[in-house]
Amino acid sequence: MKKLALVLFILAMSQFTQAQKYLSRSAELKFDASMPNLVEIAAKNNKVSAILDATTGKFAVNAMINEFKFKAPLMEEHYNENYMETPKYPNAKFSGQIANFDAAKLNSKGTYDVEGDLTIHGVTKKVKTKLTLVLAGGKVSANCNFTVHAQDYKIEIPSLVKEKFAENIKVAFDGDLEGK
């Protein structure tokens, strides 16, 4: 009987420790740099990696730049070669800490402050935004919206097309992270 109790305890603890990290390799990151009544400058990446450590409240996201897809192939080519210099800077990443994070409250939808380092185009800046999290069916749904400025990350926009780009680029993250 003691052996059975010990085995059940070990199994229960292994399930508990496994679900302390939630991750996805198919989260979505999209941005929109469009100006009203002009050409749409927007792209979406559905191959974004994200991880949430439920014991520490650490949250990280990594996106390969060449996975952003545009409606126009030529725009995608210009984005990768001329603006983002993808061979030189292949990914964008965020690594941060969720303030006042409490894993016990994940069962109900909550909005948290998250602050950390955002690296784009080889430039790292501190950012702070709101992150919404909710645990359902063994997955944590995470989403947030924020804005970035191309010049903050030394992304050069040629003056010939500069008026077509929004100064405030809208960014949206959405992902379902599975417990591991």
Side-chain angles (χ1 to χ4, degrees):
M1 188 62 131
K2 287 182 182 179
K3 287 182 182 178
L4 178 61
L6 179 62
V7 169
L8 290 174
F9 176 76
I10 290 171
L11 285 173
M13 288 309 293
S14 69
Q15 287 293 83
F16 179 74
T17 57
Q18 285 179 357
Q20 296 306 303
K21 291 193 178 168
Y22 296 87
L23 65 96
S24 175
R25 288 188 177 86
S26 59
E28 179 182 88
L29 189 62
K30 52 187 175 179
F31 71 85
D32 187 348
S34 305
M35 290 293 288
N37 303 317
L38 294 175
V39 175
E40 180 183 54
I41 303 171
K44 182 177 5 177
N45 182 340
N46 290 316
K47 296 180 181 177
V48 176
S49 297
I51 187 165
L52 167 66
D53 186 329
T55 57
T56 64
K58 291 186 186 276
F59 183 69
V61 177
N62 187 56
M64 299 304 295
I65 298 299
N66 65 353
E67 292 294 338
F68 281 96
K69 302 303 175 199
F70 291 76
K71 288 182 181 177
L74 185 59
M75 191 177 288
E76 189 172 319
E77 183 180 322
H78 286 219
Y79 167 80
N80 282 302
E81 293 177 7
N82 303 332
Y83 303 116
M84 296 303 289
E85 301 174 277
T86 302
K88 190 174 180 181
Y89 308 108
N91 63 333
K93 57 188 172 184
F94 173 81
S95 180
Q97 181 70 42
I98 301 169
N100 302 314
F101 180 75
D102 183 355
K105 294 181 180 177
L106 277 177
N107 290 323
S108 60
K109 187 175 183 179
T111 301
Y112 301 87
D113 289 324
V114 61
E115 186 172 359
D117 294 325
L118 177 63
T119 303
I120 303 172
H121 201 245
V123 177
T124 302
K125 297 278 186 184
K126 289 276 185 205
V127 296
K128 184 175 181 180
T129 190
K130 300 282 186 190
L131 177 68
T132 302
L133 300 171
V134 64
L135 175 65
K139 295 180 182 181
V140 173
S141 292
N143 61 62
C144 69
N145 297 292
F146 57 97
T147 59
V148 296
H149 304 278
Q151 68 269 17
D152 289 349
Y153 294 93
K154 298 184 181 173
I155 300 168
E156 305 268 336
I157 309 295
S159 58
L160 184 64
V161 294
K162 199 168 196 153
E163 71 278 351
K164 295 180 182 178
F165 284 82
E167 188 174 317
N168 295 319
I169 301 168
K170 298 174 197 161
V171 180
F173 171 83
D174 190 22
D176 290 328
L177 290 66
E178 296 185 32
K180 297 293 175 191

